[in-house]
Amino acid sequence: MATASKVKLSRTNVGEFHTPGITDESAAKASEVLQENHENHHIFFNSSGFHNHIAHHMLTIYALGVSPSVIQRQYENNRSYQRPPQPLDKDVLNGLNDFSEFKKHLGQERYYHDFLVFFQDEMEKKGWQAVVNEYVLKGDEQADEMLIRMYAGFLHPIIHLGFGIEFEQPAIVAEALAQAAVHDGWMGKFLIPAEKASASGTPGSKSLASLLDEIRADKKLSAAAHWDDDNKIRDGILARASEEAIKYTRQYTVGQDQLEEKTAEMINAAIYYTGGAQHPPKQIKFDFYYMHCVNSSIFFSVFLKQDWISQKNKTRLLEWKGRTDLVMYASRRSPKPLLDEIINYKPKEPSNEGGDPWGSIFCRVGKHEDDGHASKLVRALAHGEEVCRPYEDREAFRIKNQMWLQLGHMAIDSVEDTGDTWVRSAGFDQAWEKYEDRPRL
């Protein structure tokens, strides 16, 4: 049985999106390596806040049906550069029950281990769902401090939380809460004002796709981030065009009776601007920052299915995600999504007719040696195809039909291609200078 300190996967829950035929042996191997990671590694592999992606990677390739030997090999590839957590500080741990002490230790990576044990202890007493509701979704000052941080670090904390909830692993949920606690809280300077400004108006009246168009047309907002900004949201958008950012993001609202469609719309919009952010005649590459908006999108389908999360909180989670996606889009100079690049793409290895058209893509990405970003992207794309299918006749859903499979091929081909795996800040010409032009036919 999975507990707050023990990872135990089971074939009774193989995730929101998964391939058939997952074995007990793979579940056991994934549980084994995730347990080792849980006990021995910090959530950041260095003091600069670079994320340990092992939990994301192992759970994704497990859901995509890789063998136990592949799980072990991929784990070993990424174990080598991890570091241990800081020693537990009993005085800090004992003080975290007091909000003033809790708040004082937020945003400092050296307290990850203390927060982890604190949340594990809370889960043992109250249950993991109750702890998430209390410390992330309650709506008081403490929970909002945590919820803000869930959307920090290019969405890594909420991705981690999503995995924990998806596979019903309290230990992974505890890691996610501790991870959020040691992230910065500056996204609150955007998310809270945007939420307050959104109070008036009709829920769901503006689609994300139409807001992307408006943001791209706003030259002040789209040019607010500079190439040499250290963080293009914080130091670009929020420093130079915060009013404009709030002007557009406040218009993204969701009615509680719209949650299913609006979740699909969010997924579609994130994939639209991520997959379409190409720069012909340069190689096909996906933007590193936009990719996280896609990789996190699958978990909002997971949140929808949790009966212990209120409709109000499901709505709030989705609105914050949509607003984060919009500001992320603007922070990379709002490149025009080029749908022809998707529609006319020629895969390196076209799908075989008659079988699962995604099968070869899943096989290749499961064995691809990286830190898990590529497999997360492919799984999120395949999931997006499923959830968006009922709405593809609507204008707000610009990715449709065969574009999904085309994007799957683009993703795996691009990460296997030469050059850096991900382009960083795709709306800047400088980001593409290091890449080759495509061969002329």
Side-chain angles (χ1 to χ4, degrees), residues 16-17 259-268 271 297-302 304-305 379-392 397 399 404:
E16 172 71 16
F17 181 92
L259 273 166
E260 191 165 324
E261 180 178 347
K262 284 294 183 178
T263 297
E265 180 196 303
M266 175 276 293
I267 291 168
N268 199 287
I271 293 169
S297 67
I298 186 173
F299 302 112
F300 291 80
S301 293
V302 173
L304 276 189
K305 295 177 179 176
R379 191 172 79 114
L381 290 168
H383 167 260
E385 180 181 42
E386 289 189 351
V387 299
C388 292
R389 189 175 289 122
Y391 309 105
E392 287 187 347
F397 289 73
I399 301 298
W404 295 101

Side-chain angles (χ1 to χ4, degrees), residues 190-191 193-195 197-198 206 208 211 214-215 221 237-238 242-253 319-328 330:
F190 155 68
L191 288 167
E195 181 173 67
S198 72
K206 275 281 184 78
L208 282 169
L211 288 166
E214 292 180 25
I215 287 170
L221 179 57
I237 300 298
L238 301 187
S242 60
E243 290 185 10
E244 288 76 12
I246 291 172
K247 170 187 171 183
Y248 296 105
T249 58
R250 65 176 287 275
Q251 298 178 62
Y252 177 66
T253 55
E319 287 183 338
W320 282 32
K321 171 60 162 64
R323 292 169 190 153
T324 300
D325 287 358
L326 290 171
V327 78
M328 184 74 79

Side-chain angles (χ1 to χ4, degrees), residues 103-112 115 181-184:
K103 187 174 182 179
K104 187 167 71 176
H105 292 90
L106 290 171
Q108 301 175 71
E109 60 92 13
R110 67 182 180 272
Y111 298 120
Y112 167 72
F115 276 111
V182 298
H183 272 77
D184 290 333

Side-chain angles (χ1 to χ4, degrees), residues 96 102 105-106 111-119 178 181-182:
L96 292 177
F102 185 100
H105 292 90
L106 290 171
Y111 298 120
Y112 167 72
H113 193 188
D114 305 295
F115 276 111
L116 177 64
V117 174
F118 170 75
F119 287 120
V182 298

